[in-house]
């Protein structure tokens, strides 16, 4: 029941996330089939207040393989222009591409390394700096991530 509720919460933050069907939900992750892309998704452990943006992270896989394991996250805040965001998976840091309230992995090599680190379990977090200069962190559990990644791929 908790897994189903988590999957439904992953699908409701906005209209773009609402399109698609949950393939299976387990742990803190759920694979979602959107037709043109499948994603393994999780929401941040920090729940957003009502009316605020919920941080969500995941990995995208497209049938044409143009996107194969791309890490992406929607942050709860817009980042400071020119600032960086870092994903930590376990004790491994990964510098991300930043635009507004969105972050992405930097390419296939980094994507493979992030997925490999995520398979090791534990926790991950995205660290960034908001437009007013305040640092913020979005933590995620990795329980269920390998299964969701495999199902989405």
């Amino acid at each position: 029941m908790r897994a189903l509720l988590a999957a439904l919460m992953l699908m409701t933050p906005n209209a773009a996330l609402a399109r698609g069907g949950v393939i299976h939900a387990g742990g803190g992750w759920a694979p979602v089939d959107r037709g043109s892309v499948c994603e393994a998704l999780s929401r941040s452990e920090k729940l957003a207040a009502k009316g605020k943006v919920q941080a969500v992270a995941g990995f995208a896989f497209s049938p044409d393989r143009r996107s194969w394991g791309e890490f992406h996250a929607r942050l709860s805040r817009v980042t400071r222009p020119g600032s960086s965001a870092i994903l930590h998976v376990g004790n491994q840091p990964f510098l991300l591409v930043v635009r507004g309230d969105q972050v992405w992995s930097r390419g296939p090599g980094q994507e493979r390394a992030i997925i490999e680190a995520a398979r090791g379990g534990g926790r991950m977090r995205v660290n960034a700096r908001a437009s007013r200069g305040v640092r913020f962190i979005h933590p995620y559990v990795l329980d269920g991530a390998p299964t969701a990644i495999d199902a989405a791929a």
Side-chain angles (χ1 to χ4, degrees):
M1 184 65 174
R2 282 182 62 196
L4 179 58
L5 180 60
L8 291 174
M9 291 181 81
L10 283 172
M11 294 179 61
T12 59
N14 66 31
L17 287 178
R19 291 174 292 195
V22 174
I23 300 167
H24 163 78
W29 289 76
V32 178
D33 183 353
R34 301 192 190 290
S36 63
V37 67
C38 286
E39 298 178 281
L41 295 172
S42 182
R43 66 183 169 110
S44 173
E45 290 181 280
K46 284 188 178 178
L47 298 180
K50 186 174 181 174
K52 300 292 183 178
V53 175
Q54 177 63 52
V56 178
F59 298 91
F61 299 88
S62 62
D64 62 6
R65 292 187 176 255
R66 290 182 72 194
S67 178
W68 197 256
E70 177 184 59
F71 176 82
H72 58 86
R74 183 184 67 218
L75 306 175
S76 65
R77 305 175 197 184
V78 174
T79 58
R80 184 180 207 170
S83 68
S84 60
I86 300 176
L87 169 69
H88 293 269
V89 184
N91 61 358
Q92 295 182 21
F94 300 94
L95 184 62
L96 301 172
V97 174
V98 180
R99 186 176 308 133
D101 67 347
Q102 305 283 325
V103 295
W104 298 270
S105 50
R106 295 185 165 269
Q110 187 186 56
E111 290 153 6
R112 286 189 297 273
I114 293 170
I115 288 173
E116 183 65 27
R119 288 185 183 286
R123 305 178 76 74
M124 73 176 197
R125 69 184 190 276
V126 177
N127 296 10
R129 188 177 297 275
S131 57
R132 294 187 174 184
V134 177
R135 291 183 187 267
F136 63 95
I137 299 171
H138 293 307
Y140 297 85
V141 296
L142 290 171
D143 180 39
T147 302
I149 290 167
D150 290 344

